[in-house]
Amino acid sequence: MRVALFTDTYLPDVNGVAKTLGRWVRYVESRGSFCKVFAPSSPEPESADLRTVERFYSIPFLLYPECRLALPNPVHVSRSLKQFAPDLIHVATPFNLGLTGMLYAKKHGIPVVASYHTHFDQYLSYYKLQWMENMLWKYMVWFHQECRKIYVPSRSALLHLQEKGLERMEIWGRGVETGQFHPFVDRKAVLGRYGIAPAKFVMLFVGRLAPEKSVDVLLEAWRSLSDEVARHAHLIIVGEGPSAETLRELCAHDPAVTFTGFVQGRELAELYAAADVFVFPSATETFGNVVLEALASGTPVIGAAAGGVRDNISHGVTGLLCPPGDASRFAAAMERLFREEATRAAMAAAGREYALKQSWDSIFSRLYASYAEVAASGEEAICI
């Protein structure tokens, strides 16, 4: 099988979509198939194992500046695709690059599938662009009408797209590396790097520091904690983004809040494991990879009862769910888990057990079988 993948973010970009697609391409190639990736130029240095990636000049995307909007040359893309001769085209973006791949597939009768990764419609209100929503959905329905399959990361995302008129969807979930994310850590040493006493009750947030992640809700909840909890607690905020400077200024005089900046790899895994609870108020997630990473690390999650976060948390079992945007309910959940050590321990064990069942191999094997089915349907159409 020969697969052409069109995406607006790919390795070495550091975000959930880029990492998932990079992992998926490696899996496809491990099965003896071939992949060619069409992606925007990246400011990050290219690694030697990304030879199958074709890059295009790009500009920052308005709603997500860390992602790039490519400006592809259709003639160049057509020439490259003709040489590669794909059996299947996968569009992981509905924007410029994805549209280029979609039009080529339609012109040449190549089966096309899509994957949906981001609720851009839910981002609009955070950037005062809600007037664009109807126009966006009309385009999204038109764009996806030729797709044999649309892969979505969670049941909530599937239901959301069904309401908007999209069809032929399958859930493509996410896995977690439980060998990397685990509860076994030297908590004292990890917290010591940041000058935090190990006796502190540590609350952790990991994510892009941007309006749609609702970090403001977290900080409002943090400031409303009772004096008893506040004396014993410390908040660690991991990540960078357009809101970083503003958020740091808001917390400039609070020594119990630590901003680490961007962290990844082993250092990030150790922070998850060292924390007592993970707090994630974002209501715009299609899946919420960070939630699964926290659960794998044996850290209970307090999350928004919306989107992919709600899909990944069993309320009262692996964590607590709060109404989106309700800082008082988040504060109450934070206070509860501070006081109930036995509840935290039970949730930690249940979260780890749940994460151990989320194998990348099982998830990818199902997706690969779906790919093969779609590619075979294209071959049958050609024979007829």
Side-chain angles (χ1 to χ4, degrees), residues 301-340:
V301 178
I302 300 171
V309 174
R310 179 178 57 197
D311 292 337
N312 275 298
I313 298 174
S314 179
H315 181 69
V317 178
T318 60
L320 298 174
L321 291 168
C322 303
D326 192 334
S328 64
R329 294 287 289 275
F330 271 92
M334 292 154 74
E335 296 240 356
R336 177 186 169 185
L337 291 189
F338 169 80
R339 300 180 193 285
E340 298 181 9

Side-chain angles (χ1 to χ4, degrees), residues 96-112:
N96 292 10
L97 266 176
L99 182 59
T100 303
M102 177 70 72
L103 294 176
Y104 184 91
K106 187 174 181 179
K107 180 178 179 181
H108 296 276
I110 301 171
V112 60

